[in-house]
Amino acid sequence: MSLDSMREEALAFFNVGVSSADPYRITKDRIAISGTQLKIGKTNGKWPKIHIIAIGKAACNMLQATIEQIPDEKIVHPVIGITNEENAKPIKNSKILVSGHP
């Protein structure tokens, strides 16, 4: 196996690892609506209103995925995200708070 092909294979493995840890995709894949039932992971419920809060470096990505999956009329606004300055970005109908470690 040539050095170039080993690099390509290593890069492909790396990209699979990064993709499998994508907080946006993981969050979006875990939320589903079926009629009036909301499924989050293994939990099912018939909640009339949902408060959404995300905390951490991936908060904005998780918020974006969540609000894309849940109908707007079920969400209590504003949605709240707490993240660090490097990862803060505006999210529609959301309040993003910038924080850090103590």
Side-chain angles (χ1 to χ4, degrees):
M1 182 177 264
S2 74
L3 185 58
D4 285 339
S5 63
M6 287 191 300
R7 281 188 184 131
E8 287 177 23
E9 191 169 340
L11 183 58
F13 284 129
F14 174 78
N15 287 332
V16 167
V18 169
S19 173
S20 68
D22 177 18
Y24 172 85
R25 187 188 57 75
I26 292 168
T27 303
K28 197 159 187 172
D29 289 348
R30 300 297 186 279
I31 300 171
I33 298 282
S34 177
T36 60
Q37 289 289 317
L38 171 65
K39 182 177 181 187
I40 302 174
K42 295 180 181 180
T43 303
N44 286 302
K46 191 174 179 178
W47 298 287
K49 291 290 184 180
I50 301 164
H51 295 264
I52 302 171
I53 300 171
I55 301 169
K57 291 182 276 188
C60 290
N61 291 330
M62 293 186 297
L63 286 178
Q64 186 66 52
T66 302
I67 63 174
E68 288 175 9
Q69 291 297 94
I70 298 174
D72 195 53
E73 65 271 6
K74 289 197 169 281
I75 299 173
V76 176
H77 293 285
V79 170
I80 297 173
I82 303 169
T83 190
N84 59 6
E85 188 172 354
E86 298 85 38
N87 294 297
K89 62 183 177 183
I91 306 285
K92 178 183 157 196
N93 295 323
S94 301
K95 183 169 185 157
I96 306 300
L97 306 172
V98 175
S99 184
H101 290 281

